Amino acid sequence: MTHILAIDQGTTSSRAIIFDSNMTPIASAQEEFTQHFPNSGWVEHDPEDLVSTVRSTCKAVMEETKLGANDIAAIGITNQRETTVIWNRETGEPLHNAIVWQDRRTAGICEELRAAGHADEVTRITGLLLDPYFSATKVKWILDQHPGSRDLARTGKLLFGTVDSFLIWHMTDGRAHVTDATNAARTMLYDIHKGAWSPEMCAMLDIPMEMLPEVRDCASDFGVTDRLGGETPILGVAGDQQAATIGQACFAPGMLKSTYGTGCFALLNTGDAPVTSRNRLLTTVAYQLDGKPTYALEGSIFIAGAVVQWLRDGLGIIQQAGETQALAQNGRGAVTLVPAFTGLGAPYWNPECRGAVYGLTRDTNAADMARAALESIGFQTRDLWEAMRADWPDAGDAVLRVDGGLSANDWAMQFLSDMLGAPVDRPAGLETTALGAAWLAGMRAGVYPDMDGFAATWARDARFEPTMATQERETGYARWKRAIAATQSV
């Protein structure tokens, strides 16, 4: 039993990856599922799609490797965070479609809470900002839409969970209603200082505490599943960005990683003490082991890789994401794209503004748009970088470790390094999110090394050093800041 199965349940697809005893991926399967957009700014998933795609991808990798349950020491799960599911304990049926982290329908609820003077209390307890991004207002919205649901929840018949909880509940046939500290910390219902669900937050939103899962360490016993043909323990769970932080071995205070998937999420390890941001970043749990939380400052960008998908699916400029690299090299840098398709995340937190393009002329072409799209990712990361350095002056000469699909784009990573004026390191293996979940489970199972041993295995594929002149860097960033100001003023 020397293999680990990692489940990576993401925003647009589910993946299963089997890692061998050397933490090397040997088989992978991926399956996309339908995105539902019932109204402008609303994003939903059918919860059954989440379960079925996880089931089918796990089956596919087991068949490909010809491994059986006796070959799998443990399962690790990483998942899209904040996405909210409420389901019936007795039947397993969801009360409503899953409301996805990108969804903005609860902006009105957030405004009501802000007007009532709760914003500071939310941040003090949870480390988060009052925003539709997080699970709590999504839970309230679902309960508000279904009369009598709160009474069912108070009797234990309705359960709430982030995607990890929902998957584990199904994988264990309802025997385990659990989550880990990193996912709990993203709900806006969890007291990150006390390490427990917050009665104050639940009362504020009229959410029955009886529906909440038990919170455990990232490496813990989350139940046993028979879905692989025999009994297999689930021993590791972490939200996707925290799993990537672990997979990047960012275990020392001051280490920083940024993941470029649908969105962009940068986490700065701040050690065993939570740091309250003065620049509208989030204070969150990076990971929790042996009952001890390690904290992070996090900056969340809602649209990163999704801007490349927009070039492909919305504008038809490209056929494949990789085409942007060659196009951007020929772009002239005269166009500025603010991809606020679902509002702006950190450090602006403006859920109402929408995307904009500046600098268009009659001769603007596909190369200009491709370059503007990739530049927007570097500019947004610079916003986070500036905020983090202000909140954590000890960062010094930091190096940014990057991962996610877009990190394979050399042009984008070089522009990122140029815009930060700092080195950008890309690891040899880009499966850092799944690797983080696999290491948690494998370490718990005794298959993989401890934290120090794991950190020693991290290897670099490429380092991007800044080559852009300071004046050019600052002129470009000033152009971005003007575009941001103009977008928010509309």
Side-chain angles (χ1 to χ4, degrees), residues 179-182 190 195 215-222 235-238 242-243 245-247 249-252 269 271-272 285-295 435-445 448-455:
T179 190
D180 84 295
T182 68
Y190 187 73
V215 182
R216 298 182 178 175
D217 286 349
C218 298
S220 185
D221 299 322
F222 291 94
L235 298 182
V237 175
Q242 282 88 346
T245 303
I246 294 166
C250 291
F251 296 134
N269 186 323
D272 58 6
V285 177
Y287 50 85
Q288 181 170 303
L289 300 171
D290 298 324
K292 299 176 181 178
T294 294
Y295 295 94
L435 176 60
W439 176 73
L440 288 168
M443 182 266 294
R444 177 78 178 180
Y448 291 163
D450 62 11
M451 182 181 288
D452 290 339
F454 175 63

Side-chain angles (χ1 to χ4, degrees), residues 207-225:
I207 295 174
M209 297 189 72
E210 292 84 355
M211 67 192 306
L212 305 179
E214 179 185 341
V215 182
R216 298 182 178 175
D217 286 349
C218 298
S220 185
D221 299 322
F222 291 94
V224 175
T225 182

Side-chain angles (χ1 to χ4, degrees), residues 130-143:
L130 186 51
D131 190 84
Y133 176 26
F134 306 107
S135 309
T137 56
K138 304 180 198 300
V139 177
K140 173 177 169 55
W141 187 92
I142 294 174
L143 294 176

Side-chain angles (χ1 to χ4, degrees), residues 118-176:
H118 291 302
D120 289 344
E121 182 181 7
V122 168
T123 300
R124 176 180 59 80
I125 294 172
T126 70
L128 308 177
L129 297 175
L130 186 51
D131 190 84
Y133 176 26
F134 306 107
S135 309
T137 56
K138 304 180 198 300
V139 177
K140 173 177 169 55
W141 187 92
I142 294 174
L143 294 176
D144 287 347
Q145 300 306 303
H146 296 269
S149 58
R150 284 183 172 83
D151 291 335
L152 288 174
R154 290 188 182 96
T155 61
K157 292 182 179 180
L158 280 185
L159 303 178
F160 152 69
T162 43
V163 171
D164 58 306
S165 296
F166 186 65
L167 292 177
I168 292 169
W169 192 88
H170 276 274
M171 292 171 71
T172 62
D173 295 315
R175 293 186 298 272

Side-chain angles (χ1 to χ4, degrees), residues 394-416:
D394 297 334
D397 297 326
V399 175
L400 177 64
R401 290 186 173 182
V402 296
D403 55 79
L406 193 75
S407 65
N409 188 309
D410 287 354
W411 193 95
M413 294 302 100
Q414 182 59 54
F415 182 80
L416 176 60

Side-chain angles (χ1 to χ4, degrees), residues 25 80 100 240 264 268 326 332 412 450 490:
Q80 54 169 314
V100 180
D240 52 10
C264 163
L268 172 69
R332 292 166 293 180
D450 62 11
V490 174

